[in-house]
Amino acid sequence: MIGEIAAEALEEAGFAVFSAASAEEAAVILAHEAVDVLFTDINLGGGDGCDLANKALEAQPSLSVVFASGRSRRCHGNRVPTEAAFLAKPYRLSDMISEVDRAVRGTAYQ
């Protein structure tokens, strides 16, 4: 449900959105679609957002990644690439939209 709300907010902000219910489903989308930004939770059903992002970056090196997690960035250690943006939960939808917009423009910051 949270993913649906996030996708709807991003679509309302003007972004084209592909939604996935699991890491496996996201991997299929990423294998067939060129995307600018991967917005993912670190803890996913059926997989791990860090693993998903690393595989996606191998296939699409220019991909920007925005992670979300209920735990701090520090808790995830070096699993979260330093160049990836990070949103700590809970976050405001406006903050998510701003971070995705920065990532699209290549100006994301941690």
Side-chain angles (χ1 to χ4, degrees):
M1 188 163 124
I2 293 171
E4 292 174 18
I5 293 169
E8 185 176 316
L10 289 167
E11 287 173 340
E12 288 177 3
F15 296 100
V17 176
F18 295 99
S19 295
S22 67
E24 289 85 8
E25 190 177 328
V28 170
I29 292 169
L30 289 165
H32 294 92
E33 301 290 342
V35 298
D36 297 316
V37 177
L38 170 61
F39 177 64
T40 184
D41 199 296
I42 291 177
N43 298 315
L44 297 173
D48 176 87
C50 292
D51 293 339
L52 172 67
N54 287 326
K55 289 175 187 169
L57 286 165
E58 287 176 16
Q60 298 182 45
S62 63
L63 179 70
S64 293
V65 180
V66 178
F67 287 104
S69 179
R71 298 172 60 198
S72 74
R73 183 182 195 117
R74 186 175 301 152
C75 288
H76 298 289
N78 63 358
R79 296 185 63 237
V80 177
T82 56
E83 65 276 5
F86 187 89
L87 282 171
K89 292 179 186 178
Y91 55 82
R92 292 185 178 109
L93 289 176
S94 60
D95 293 337
M96 175 198 63
I97 292 166
S98 294
E99 202 60 56
V100 169
D101 185 55
R102 283 197 249 341
V104 166
R105 291 185 283 120
T107 59
Y109 62 87
Q110 298 74 46

